[in-house]
Amino acid sequence: MSQDPKFVQAAFASIAPRYVLANHVLSLGIDVLWRKRVAKIVRGLNPGSLLDVATGTGDLALEIGKFCPNTEITATDFCPEMLEVATKAGVPNTMVADAMNLPFGEGEFDAVTVAFGLRNMESWVGAAKEMRRVIRPGGSLVILDFSLPEGLMRGPYRAYLHHVLPKLAGAIAGNRGAYEYLSESIERFPSGAEMEDLLKEAGFVSAASIPLTGGISSIYVAS
């Protein structure tokens, strides 16, 4: 599966100034707790060096920095407008880079993280392979992204996703089309066992999924 990188880059550039506000409003602030959960997992991995891919406005990189003060964090994104916000927010080491072609050597990082970014990449498997390339042997990839809940929550959540979220987010961030794309991309994105299989296809030996908030989002840990 692939996304149109030019469309994605333009969409995120247009919403960069209000991206953080929109996220907090649309998730009722729960996205903050999701990132804390990821940061705690990363702390357990005790990485000396970490690459945060598709860092966006740097929310996850900043959270990991709080939990892992001794970890050297590098944050990359292919959207300069997003990185400007991240830098102003205090992310110290940022770099414009395409996740499909990372400017780093093999095994350069102990861990790689990506929050709400893999779903937007040109090739999910290709991006996962590229992230695996820069992880040292024995290191880990930690992914946080949206997923679709199962059971009774699924119907109401999909209604919110397609009918409420684009209108509300469009009013906040000024680009309804970007959030209509978001809704559609969440529908297509693999989750649970399907994502675990994708990560193994990318070359990871093991992969585990952790549903959050009834499955609205999920964490994946692969090594």
Side-chain angles (χ1 to χ4, degrees), residues 118-119 124 145-146 185-191 195 220:
L118 179 59
R119 174 172 38 82
W124 301 328
D145 218 311
F146 290 113
S185 70
I186 293 171
E187 284 277 8
R188 295 192 300 265
F189 195 57
S191 60
M195 175 58 75
Y220 306 94

Side-chain angles (χ1 to χ4, degrees), residues 10-67:
F12 279 95
S14 72
I15 63 176
R18 294 195 170 189
Y19 180 75
V20 175
L21 174 61
N23 282 350
H24 294 343
V25 171
L26 294 171
S27 70
L28 302 178
I30 298 173
D31 63 307
V32 175
L33 300 179
W34 295 340
R35 290 186 182 88
K36 287 184 183 296
R37 182 75 178 273
V38 171
K40 289 178 181 179
I41 291 172
V42 171
R43 182 174 61 187
L45 299 174
N46 194 29
S49 60
L50 180 141
L51 174 64
D52 187 42
V53 177
T55 196
T57 51
D59 297 56
L60 182 59
L62 291 169
E63 197 64 47
I64 292 172
K66 296 175 187 176
F67 280 78

